[in-house]
Amino acid sequence: MKVIRNLSFLMALAASGSSLAASVKFTQFTYEGMDKVFSTPLKAGEYRNPILAGFYPDPSITRAGDDYYLVNSSFAYSPGVPIFHSKDLVNWKALGHVLTTPTQLPLKNQQTSRGIYAPTIRFHDGVFYMITTLVDVRGNFLVTAKDPAGPWSEPVLLPEIGGIDPDIFFDDDGKAYIAHNDGPVGEPLYNGHRAIWLWEFDLKTNKVVKNSGRVIVNGGTDIAKKPIWIEGPHIYKINGWYYLLCAEGGTGMDHSAVIFRSKSLHEPFVPYEKNPILTQRDLNKDRTNPITTAGHADFVQTREGDWWAVFLATRAYDKKFYNSGRETFLLPVTWKDDWLVILEQGKEIPYQHPAPVIRAKTANPDQLSGNFIWQDNFSNKQLGFEWVSLRSADSPFYQLTKSGLELQALKVKLDSLEQPAFLGRRQQHTRFSSSAEFTLPEAKTSAGIVALQSETAHYYFGVRQVDKGTELFIEQANKSAPKVIYHKLVKDLANPIHLRIEGDAGKIRFSYQSKQGKYKPVLKNADAKMLSTEVAGGFVGTLLGIHARAE
């Protein structure tokens, strides 16, 4: 994400009718994850699942030599499409984001769960390709780069290709193809009836070959059983076979990964008779620490010759609730009768597993799994990869200074589809603590800390000055316009202000630091299930962050 220079920041203030007095300075944000399931020490040679905890869904992976690169969906957050690098498949380091400019990522007025869906990353002939869908804005497109850290090219639009979840495949005869999800030929036979299409793509002209599109999978593994939402296709050529890996069953509890194969891209793809090759839907719902909704996978082969799969899944509480979103997991792939299988049906996805046999190790990886404490004092010249904003990729509502981060107090609430003055980082644990340190807002301005799942599901814990003094308040949006569910005048508020949000599965609590240095609770055991995907809907996880607003 770019640093917003003083000039553009001042111009934005002037355009909004504000002044520098309408900004709030944040000097620290702290996040701590404390999940019991992560407290078990790893044995020698083991890794921990998920490899990317928190809202990192729809993973796609590619290898270039000894290096692995992974991308995720970003929906209506910007910058778009986080990209990570690894040497060992287990430990990952953020390279930043693929889509970082307004022309690459126009997200004006987009709902939180719209925007960027299911990217695919591939390395071919010295070039990295990332292909994805920008829902409701431009449909399918691809960008390229010689360096995966960027900059990436301007989008190559693919207007001939409808639907979502495009995949790009490079055959060994020099031809390229794009597979994707779209409607079937003719009217759908039932709700959720979709198809996988295949088109030839001309690498010299960067255009789809006209009239080359055709359906290669209609409905799913067995249309007689009315399978739903076949999507997320990826094609591989292995030992003379073309394998097609897809997601099926929807992104909820019935999610799965299924596989097909063919000897030719011009012949029918035949499903594996023992599909799905990954799911958790057939397990006991009362099991301890359940991992659920597993599916949407991608394969990669190591230089050593082993196959591994990355895929999305969720860590649920109370059987079916999760606030941390769909996360990225890793498991080995086994071969059974010339078919690739990720996990035998009836087996649970393990939280700990023997690591890939790879000699190289990732240098200085980021903390992306397990329990940890993360703190940002806003002392760097640019924001870390953890921070994202809603919608627009060019958002001059903040600037980094020598003493902290100044957030302009816009007249935009968090339930608006306009650009709010909000920066957030992912909730990566079921049990967590987050706190923000900032200066007292001036009159007609509020500021504070936020737990946000979407414009219709969030908490805003803030402070503002009113006629009678300084007031703490909590605003809740729960499938309706935000409502103040708590407010109270306080006289012992510390300076600078420290506000804290703590979560534990379905409960969330709010507290402030007094002048004596102790945190005092203002609301305990509030509802956190309203931030879960099960209640709030959509495809994103909860973000924790900072917000300022002109009242």
Side-chain angles (χ1 to χ4, degrees), residues 27-33 367 372-380 383-384 386-387 425 428 433-437 498 519:
T27 48
Q28 189 177 93
F29 191 92
T30 303
Y31 173 87
E32 181 177 3
Q367 186 69 67
F372 57 83
I373 298 174
W374 176 88
Q375 189 173 88
D376 195 341
N377 296 315
F378 304 112
S379 57
N380 294 325
L383 287 176
E386 297 89 351
W387 292 107
R425 56 100 66 220
Q428 296 176 277
S433 174
S434 61
S435 61
E437 176 187 278
H498 290 78
Y519 273 97

Side-chain angles (χ1 to χ4, degrees), residues 157-175:
L157 305 186
L158 305 168
E160 301 88 350
I161 295 178
I164 58 172
D165 297 4
D167 170 72
I168 189 164
F169 166 69
F170 303 94
D171 207 344
D172 49 20
D173 62 0
K175 291 185 177 182

Side-chain angles (χ1 to χ4, degrees), residues 460-510:
Y460 173 30
F461 180 28
V463 61
R464 59 192 171 200
Q465 295 190 59
V466 295
D467 292 341
K468 294 183 179 180
T470 303
E471 181 184 69
L472 287 175
F473 67 94
I474 299 174
E475 204 171 75
Q476 179 198 66
N478 185 2
K479 295 185 176 180
S480 63
K483 299 177 182 178
V484 175
I485 61 171
Y486 172 94
H487 65 96
K488 185 178 181 180
L489 294 173
V490 289
K491 296 183 178 180
D492 63 342
L493 197 61
N495 185 23
I497 297 167
H498 290 78
L499 300 185
R500 185 168 69 184
I501 293 178
E502 297 169 284
D504 190 354
K507 299 296 182 182
I508 194 167
R509 53 188 176 273
F510 307 84

